[in-house]
């Protein structure tokens, strides 16, 4: 029973992520009806859709949807493809890639050369038309990378095509002894402006 509950939660989590990725806001009442009738899955709904109008009508009759629920359900059906696309990792037209983006809520000056920052992580659609970047890092030891003592170079990748291979040539390495390399995905927060009244350089000089 425990494993069954865990599996159900996993399926629901995948379905909820799929709804978010496709910008579908679902009423709680519809969500409950889908769960109770075991159709809260993009894959299942895609299979029903594939069976034709009669199958769709049978499911809708069983769900007993009101006007708003019916409209949202039709949007869900029109979005679902044969595979259900629950992962959001497709690279084809119309697919959406979700990413984690930091967001600065507030920032304040301590007036001692330090600042306080309040921030959060948000799930957002990746802007696939933006100037997306990865960062190549290199150092002589891995711990140098962990403590930001290594060197780095930003690499523009443009449009994202998941699981495709990219090639970047002639990246200049400024440390001939470097033998540790890694790539880091770059996600930028929003911008906040703050006038610093005192910095550590002033205090030490």
């Amino acid at each position: 029973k425990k494993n069954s509950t865990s599996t159900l939660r996993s399926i629901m989590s995948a379905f909820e992520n799929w709804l978010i990725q496709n910008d579908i806001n679902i009423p709680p009442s519809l969500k409950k009806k889908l769960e109770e009738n075991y159709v809260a899955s993009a894959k299942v709904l895609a299979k029903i859709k594939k069976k034709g109008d009669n199958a769709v009508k049978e499911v809708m009759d069983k769900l007993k949807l009101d006007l708003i629920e019916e409209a949202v359900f039709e949007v869900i059906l029109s979005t679902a493809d044969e595979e259900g696309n629950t992962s959001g990792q497709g690279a084809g037209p119309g697919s959406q890639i979700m990413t984690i983006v930091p967001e600065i809520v507030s920032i304040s000056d301590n007036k001692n050369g330090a600042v306080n920052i309040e921030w959060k992580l948000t799930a957002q659609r990746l802007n696939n038309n933006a100037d997306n970047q990865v960062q190549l890092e290199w150092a002589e030891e891995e711990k140098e990378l962990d403590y930001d003592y290594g060197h780095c170079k930003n690499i523009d990748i443009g449009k994202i095509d998941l699981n495709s291979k990219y090639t970047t040539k002639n990246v200049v390495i400024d440390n001939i002894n470097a033998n540790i390399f890694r790539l880091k995905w770059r996600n930028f927060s929003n911008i906040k402006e703050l006038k610093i009244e005192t910095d550590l350089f002033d205090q030490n000089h």
Side-chain angles (χ1 to χ4, degrees):
K1 186 176 180 180
K2 184 176 180 181
N3 289 338
S4 176
T5 302
S6 176
T7 301
L8 179 59
R9 287 175 180 171
S10 176
I11 293 173
M12 280 307 305
S13 177
F15 183 58
E16 289 168 358
N17 287 337
W18 180 83
L19 290 171
I20 292 172
Q21 291 166 18
N22 288 282
D23 199 23
I24 300 174
N25 188 14
I26 182 172
S29 56
L30 176 57
K31 180 174 178 287
K32 183 178 180 181
K33 290 177 181 180
L34 294 176
E35 291 174 3
E36 290 176 346
N37 288 276
Y38 303 99
V39 290
S41 163
K43 287 184 178 180
V44 172
L45 291 172
K47 292 294 184 183
I48 294 171
K49 176 183 174 183
K50 189 177 180 181
K51 290 180 181 295
D53 293 341
N54 289 336
V56 172
K57 185 178 184 303
E58 182 180 338
V59 171
M60 293 181 70
D61 289 343
K62 187 175 182 180
L63 292 174
K64 295 182 171 60
L65 306 176
D66 62 28
L67 185 62
I68 294 177
E69 292 170 344
E70 183 176 332
V72 176
F73 184 72
E74 288 176 352
V75 171
I76 293 173
L77 280 180
S78 67
T79 307
D81 56 27
E82 292 183 8
E83 292 75 31
N85 200 22
T86 56
S87 67
Q89 294 184 350
S95 63
Q96 293 294 332
I97 305 171
M98 298 298 290
T99 186
I100 300 298
V101 177
E103 178 181 331
I104 298 175
V105 178
S106 65
I107 185 169
S108 59
D109 183 10
N110 277 344
K111 299 181 181 180
N112 63 353
V115 298
N116 296 330
I117 180 170
E118 182 182 7
W119 57 281
K120 63 182 179 180
L121 296 177
T122 61
Q124 297 182 18
R125 287 184 176 189
L126 179 68
N127 184 354
N128 213 3
N129 295 318
D131 296 326
N132 296 299
Q133 294 181 333
V134 293
Q135 187 175 81
L136 179 64
E137 301 178 317
W138 59 89
E140 295 180 41
E141 297 182 22
E142 186 174 347
K143 63 182 180 182
E144 293 182 55
L145 299 181
D146 294 335
Y147 290 98
D148 289 329
Y149 293 151
H151 299 252
C152 62
K153 173 70 174 178
N154 294 342
I155 298 174
D156 293 324
I157 55 177
K159 190 172 182 178
I160 304 296
D161 189 7
L162 292 183
N163 299 318
S164 294
K165 293 181 180 180
Y166 293 84
T167 300
T168 302
K169 297 181 178 180
N170 298 318
V171 179
V172 178
I173 304 302
D174 59 3
N175 180 0
I176 196 172
N177 296 315
N179 58 4
I180 301 293
F181 296 85
R182 75 177 180 191
L183 281 172
K184 181 165 63 177
W185 173 253
R186 289 171 58 79
N187 270 342
F188 300 100
S189 77
N190 55 318
I191 294 175
K192 291 281 187 181
E193 293 185 4
L194 176 68
K195 173 72 173 176
I196 302 295
E197 296 185 15
T198 306
D199 61 33
L200 291 178
F201 182 83
D202 291 336
Q203 289 181 356
N204 295 328
H205 296 79

